């Protein structure tokens, strides 16, 4: 069984350290991206979102901290998916505005990975809250922007409502919920299935890509 408990504060601090000095996303933004992946109308496998979170894809075995980094990210993915399914999201408290902004930033990036979501104006309305919260009004359809004008300060307290509305519209509509990945502890062996979701052994997939 996958571990679906969200990372502890200590583990989040470790993850932040392993991500380096200038990562594309901090842990809160990663939670937002993974949440969007979990509620997306299409299926977005790790092979699509992992390179956005970790440029270059899965760390090569033997790289300093690589297995721990990958294990933490994949475990958080399982926790986020489980939270979406149960309605208990992995997200910052609404009072922590700056962290909610990062969550929204990641949510936009996750939505943009799904061609069934990105580019569909009707569906994209489910990203409007995140775009406004993250200071990206240009990503909001004009009619929706008019409807939400002046609500920006209250958006952080409504994240759960918006995300679960997308889940109910997209996930149930496609007839299947996103399945958690099985993570074998914090280490990925060369003969284990690649965590990117390709179905190949790790040594024949992401290792080869980085060789």
């Amino acid at each position: 069984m996958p571990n679906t408990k969200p990372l502890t504060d200590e583990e989040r601090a470790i993850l932040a350290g392993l991500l380096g000095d200038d990562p594309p996303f901090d842990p809160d933004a990663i939670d937002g991206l993974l949440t969007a992946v979990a509620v997306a109308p299409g299926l977005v496998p790790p092979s699509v979102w992992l390179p956005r979170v970790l440029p270059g894809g899965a760390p090569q075995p033997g790289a300093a901290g690589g297995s721990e980094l990958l294990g933490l990210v994949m475990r958080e993915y399982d926790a986020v998916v489980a939270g979406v399914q149960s309605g208990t999201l992995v997200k910052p408290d609404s009072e922590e505005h700056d962290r909610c902004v990062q969550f929204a930033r990641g949510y936009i990036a996750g939505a943009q990975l799904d061609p069934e979501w990105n580019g569909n104006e009707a569906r994209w309305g489910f990203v409007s809250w995140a775009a406004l919260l993250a200071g990206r009004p240009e990503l909001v359809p004009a009619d929706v922007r008019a409807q939400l004008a002046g609500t920006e300060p209250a958006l952080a307290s409504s994240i759960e409502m918006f995300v679960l509305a997308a889940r109910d519209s997209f996930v149930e509509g496609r007839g299947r919920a996103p399945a958690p990945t099985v993570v074998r502890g914090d280490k990925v062996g060369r003969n284990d299935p690649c965590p990117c979701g390709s179905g190949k052994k790790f040594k024949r997939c992401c290792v080869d890509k980085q060789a």
Side-chain angles (χ1 to χ4, degrees):
M1 292 291 293
N3 183 348
T4 58
K5 291 183 178 180
L7 300 181
T8 65
D9 289 343
E10 181 179 357
E11 288 170 327
R12 292 175 71 85
I14 293 172
L15 173 59
L18 291 171
L19 288 170
D21 295 331
D22 189 26
F25 300 102
D26 68 9
D28 290 313
I30 290 174
D31 286 339
L33 185 150
L34 297 178
T35 299
V37 164
V39 302
L43 293 175
V44 184
S47 58
V48 172
W49 61 257
L50 196 57
R52 290 286 285 122
V53 174
L54 304 176
Q60 188 167 351
S67 294
E68 185 177 14
L69 172 59
L70 182 60
L72 290 171
V73 170
M74 297 304 293
R75 203 185 106 201
E76 188 74 341
Y77 172 60
D78 286 333
V80 167
V81 171
V84 165
Q85 292 174 338
S86 68
T88 305
L89 304 184
V90 179
K91 68 175 187 64
D93 291 335
S94 59
E95 294 80 10
E96 299 178 283
H97 184 77
D98 290 345
R99 292 184 61 193
C100 288
V101 169
Q102 289 302 311
F103 182 94
R105 175 175 167 262
Y107 193 87
I108 295 168
Q112 290 174 327
L113 294 176
D114 180 13
E116 294 186 31
W117 195 344
N118 188 26
N120 183 309
E121 186 170 329
R123 289 174 171 171
W124 194 251
F126 285 95
V127 183
S128 298
W129 67 270
L132 290 174
L133 182 56
R136 301 288 306 279
E138 73 277 8
L139 297 178
V140 182
D143 57 335
V144 178
R145 194 185 318 156
Q147 293 173 10
L148 295 178
T151 66
E152 291 87 348
L155 291 175
S157 62
S158 302
I159 289 176
E160 188 167 87
M161 178 186 72
F162 290 123
V163 171
L164 296 182
R167 179 201 66 181
D168 293 344
S169 294
F170 298 157
V171 177
E172 294 180 9
R174 74 189 184 204
R176 56 191 183 277
T181 58
V182 176
V183 180
R184 300 169 185 258
D186 285 341
K187 296 183 178 180
V188 181
R190 290 176 59 81
N191 291 312
D192 289 340
C194 187
C196 77
S198 67
K200 300 178 182 179
K201 290 183 178 180
F202 185 48
K203 67 181 180 181
R204 299 296 184 191
C205 188
C206 285
V207 171
D208 284 350
K209 294 174 185 176
Q210 297 177 51

